[in-house]
Amino acid sequence: MVRTSATVISPGTEFRQAQQTTASLFKKAWQRPDLVTLIFKSLRSEGARQTFDRVQDRLGRPLPMGYCGAGIVHAVADDITELTCGERVAIGGMDHANHAEWNVVPKNFAAPIPDKVSDEKAAFTTLYALALHALHQGGSGIGNKVAILGTGLIGQLIAQTALTAGTHPYVIEPNPARRSMAEKTGVTATYRAVQDAPNNQFDTVYICAPAQGNHTLIDDAARLCRDRGTIVCVGDVAPNGKRDALYRKEIDLRQVRSYGPGRYDPAYEEAGQDYPEGHVRWTVNRYMKAALDLMSDGRLDPLPLITREITFDAIADHFTRGADPDDLATVVHFAHSEMAQDNQNDFRLTPPSGSLPCNEPARDRSVSLGLIGTGNYLGGSLLPLLRQHARIDVLACASQSGLSALAAARKFRAAKPCSNPTDILDNSQINSVIIATRHDSHATLADRALAAGKHVWLEKPIAITHEDLERLRPHATNQKSVFMIGHNRRYAAMSQKLRKLLPPDAKQFHYRVRFKPLSADHWLNRPDQGGRTIGEISHFIDLMTYLTGAKISDIACDWRDRKRGDSIWRVYFSDGSVGEVSYLHTTRNEPKEILEIAAPDFGASLHDWRRLQVNGKVVMRNWRARDKGQKNAINAFVTAVENDVPGPDTPSLNDEINLMERILNAANT
């Protein structure tokens, strides 16, 4: 945890972000082609209302601004030995080094500041890391001639680092003030346009110009390159160019991945796992340290690039004013109050326990709710239902970063955001919680909530390890609060209809589940989260358990590809019923869930929560959107809280523990 002293506003990146946040919902979505594709898929499968809710939740969240700064370490995690409290550090990374008075930063995005480097200079460290990485990507060294297209802040920093590396940098920039700034830095020559610069002369061309509306950047850079030269795309530049020049000169086209190796890798960024120096010489953190050393020696100096200085309380007006074409770097200074200085050893992000304020007094409703974990699922699927519920008051929303909690809290009349679940668990006004955090924290938070006497809705899975299950077992022997896992499928109207029509004899279930692959850096792919299969398989087994009304006698798992999650699960019930779940990934556009049930003189199929067919006849159909039971599940939870006893179709905590224990045993056999 770092108490921020200074940050730097990068005008190109951050003013574009600011414009995006004030755009309409439609424009925001259209600027994200990946989301446009998801929207059309969701419209087909989920319907317009649910698609709108999800898009509004995703794009309506506040956006953290900033990614480079400096400050003083206030607190460190127990496993961090490289940094100490009171030490000055440079910090970096989007979502980490924000324009905020306090920042929580992964250790690989913090570097000690040498005594000779001021906080104002150190705030540029992350930007210099980007420039150093670009220079390495271009292979630029002593005697090389390099051209820099565009000298905004990043272009100016690359010019500085190129000079430090012994190259001969040439600048191409239409803005005369920026050309003048580059000349003061000591570049070899400056040109107003590409046409003015000599062709076929440069070992490396760095493209730092804005890509919007400029479709010839690659072709322009190719003309400047010598035979077998290199083009480095530093900014958001589409690698599109005419083949002829690239082919004839055998030009090497390279990209710059932000601040260097480690960026976008959750193991490096979030878990703090470093790369061996012998295999990856330069990482984000090593670039940061190198930049600080070069500033300490006087070989890099960002101070001439500062065109504006403001205080933190003026930052909103600064972004509202809009970008000035002559601006390069704006430094934000943080003047902390005396109260903050006096209470450094008793710092809290939110008010003291038990006194979390609300905008208005709680109304006379049966469920006063705290939300812990306000990510995509809760925001897109549950929040709209909670807002509409006449017997629920949401009083507080907690998330690790605080920003998604802020977005969620704004949707309720009396809710307050916080970043620590303790502020919810210790609040006497709150009698119930919904926990929808990452999977490795489920059991711990549920244990704390039950110990605090709260009623608990816990999103699946209940736990991902046997040790986590043991945390909850003492509560199962003497269950005093309502406890419910978010196994919403058993509450769906189709499930309830189907259960009434099933014959009493043993049945055969075949549950076909097809899931789309996640991005490689998605948090569910991390080993410490148990994997996607362990996180989701209980959904389908729970539904079969509900439909049979019988106890599970055994579960077996046949892994086809454990890393991807592909698996076949067989479930044996005490009444002789047998269920099979084929949980396999697909890249095709096909239904996610198809459940088929067979028994003597009986057959039924549930097709992706759109159509229920029994003995060849359609008995139920959802025309507008798939109903997987979330609304009925919330109603059941509210009723249980009001009556202080779980509903008849809600499994007990002991049942949920036993189910997950069988799943974990089967997965590890």
Side-chain angles (χ1 to χ4, degrees), residues 354-418:
S355 61
L356 188 69
C358 298
N359 294 330
E360 297 181 19
R363 289 164 286 179
D364 187 17
R365 295 189 177 184
S366 53
V367 178
S368 53
L369 192 60
L371 308 179
I372 302 176
T374 51
N376 290 335
Y377 175 73
L378 188 140
S381 297
L382 296 186
L383 274 190
L385 300 174
L386 297 174
R387 291 180 66 190
Q388 299 166 10
H389 208 289
R391 288 133 63 199
I392 291 177
D393 256 333
V394 174
L395 301 185
C397 305
S399 69
Q400 188 172 12
S401 69
L403 281 177
S404 63
L406 177 63
R410 286 175 174 173
K411 298 178 181 180
F412 298 95
R413 192 172 66 127
K416 275 288 186 179
C418 55

Side-chain angles (χ1 to χ4, degrees), residues 108-109 129 132-134 136-137 256-265 268-269 273-275 279-287:
N108 284 335
F109 283 84
L132 288 168
H133 181 49
H136 275 119
Q137 286 293 88
V256 174
R257 185 173 61 188
S258 197
Y259 335 119
R263 183 70 173 109
Y264 307 116
D265 178 1
Y268 182 89
E269 288 197 8
Q273 298 175 9
D274 199 3
Y275 299 152
H279 295 273
V280 183
R281 173 64 185 91
W282 292 104
T283 61
V284 175
N285 195 256
R286 290 173 196 140
Y287 277 132

Side-chain angles (χ1 to χ4, degrees), residues 2 4-8 67-72 87-93 97 109-129 157 287-289 291-296 300-303 306 331-333:
V2 175
T4 313
S5 57
T7 58
V8 176
Y67 58 95
C68 47
I72 298 173
E87 187 173 15
R88 292 191 307 135
V89 289
I91 57 177
F109 283 84
I113 301 174
D115 292 339
K116 294 181 180 179
V117 179
S118 67
D119 287 4
E120 194 173 38
K121 288 184 178 180
F124 286 82
T125 300
T126 305
L127 294 167
Y128 273 125
L157 294 173
Y287 277 132
M288 292 177 72
K289 291 176 179 176
L292 288 163
D293 287 341
L294 290 168
M295 282 189 275
S296 181
L300 292 178
D301 183 8
L303 297 186
I306 299 174
V331 173
V332 183
H333 296 281

Side-chain angles (χ1 to χ4, degrees), residues 29 33-58 376 380-381 516 589-590 592 608 610 622-628 630:
D34 56 326
L35 280 183
V36 173
T37 303
L38 289 175
I39 287 169
F40 286 120
K41 289 181 179 178
S42 182
L43 281 171
R44 289 194 298 267
S45 60
E46 305 290 348
R49 179 72 256 176
Q50 193 164 352
T51 298
F52 177 78
D53 288 336
R54 289 185 175 179
V55 172
Q56 188 178 47
D57 175 71
R58 184 80 66 90
N376 290 335
S381 297
K516 294 295 177 68
N589 186 23
E590 54 184 318
K592 180 181 178 181
D608 212 24
R610 289 283 193 180
N622 288 326
W623 293 102
R624 293 185 178 180
R626 295 182 294 186
D627 174 18
K628 296 183 182 178
Q630 281 100 338

Side-chain angles (χ1 to χ4, degrees), residues 38 41 44 513-519 532 536 564 583-592:
L38 289 175
K41 289 181 179 178
R44 289 194 298 267
V513 182
R514 298 293 179 264
F515 60 93
K516 294 295 177 68
L518 298 168
S519 60
R532 189 175 186 180
E536 195 171 28
R564 291 198 310 185
Y583 186 81
L584 305 171
H585 94 285
T586 181
T587 56
R588 298 191 301 272
N589 186 23
E590 54 184 318
K592 180 181 178 181

